[in-house]
Amino acid sequence: QVQLVESGGGLVQPGGSLRLSCAASGSIFSINAVGWYCQTPGKERDWVATITAFGSTNYADSVKGRFTISRDNAKNRAYLQMNSLKPEDTAVYYCNCGSRWNPLGSWGQGTQVTVSS
């Protein structure tokens, strides 16, 4: 079972940038995909982006061209570079190992991203 801790969120103006970090513990990180997800109050988590164990990436249409997912297996970390942020990006962001359909780790507390002028 992998434990994950998200950090890097904050308050940013529209058009600004943030870099989220996901620190993982456990034995499955390096051999599994990692995904970023977001959630707003009263709604289920939405998938944002995935990076596979070998580095290929996929993004939700709403963030293509603005967000970049990356990973550093040696450090058991994954990242989400968020550029050109929009108010509709406001959410709590979570990371997890596995696919978007089968997350394998325990959900952390996430990190709050607020985009507001």
Side-chain angles (χ1 to χ4, degrees):
Q1 182 76 293
V2 63
Q3 305 294 127
L4 304 126
V5 178
E6 301 90 347
S7 62
L11 174 64
V12 65
Q13 295 188 167
S17 297
L18 287 170
R19 189 184 190 226
L20 308 185
S21 180
C22 172
S25 62
S27 62
I28 66 172
F29 180 85
S30 65
I31 61 172
N32 280 280
V34 176
W36 283 96
Y37 307 80
C38 65
Q39 186 174 30
T40 55
K43 294 193 173 187
E44 298 294 320
R45 288 183 180 90
D46 291 327
W47 169 76
V48 175
T50 293
I51 184 166
T52 70
F54 50 89
S56 64
T57 58
N58 202 6
Y59 299 91
D61 287 343
S62 61
V63 307
K64 284 182 179 177
R66 300 189 298 121
F67 292 7
T68 302
I69 187 171
S70 61
R71 67 191 297 164
D72 185 340
N73 288 342
K75 298 180 179 178
N76 264 22
R77 281 188 175 267
Y79 306 93
L80 187 69
Q81 178 66 47
M82 311 168 75
N83 297 330
S84 302
L85 282 161
K86 304 174 180 179
E88 50 263 47
D89 296 321
T90 296
V92 178
Y93 284 76
Y94 302 85
C95 64
N96 213 326
C97 298
S99 74
R100 74 188 81 166
W101 305 280
N102 186 33
L104 299 176
S106 299
W107 293 105
Q109 293 189 352
T111 186
Q112 176 71 50
V113 171
T114 302
V115 185
S116 177
S117 60

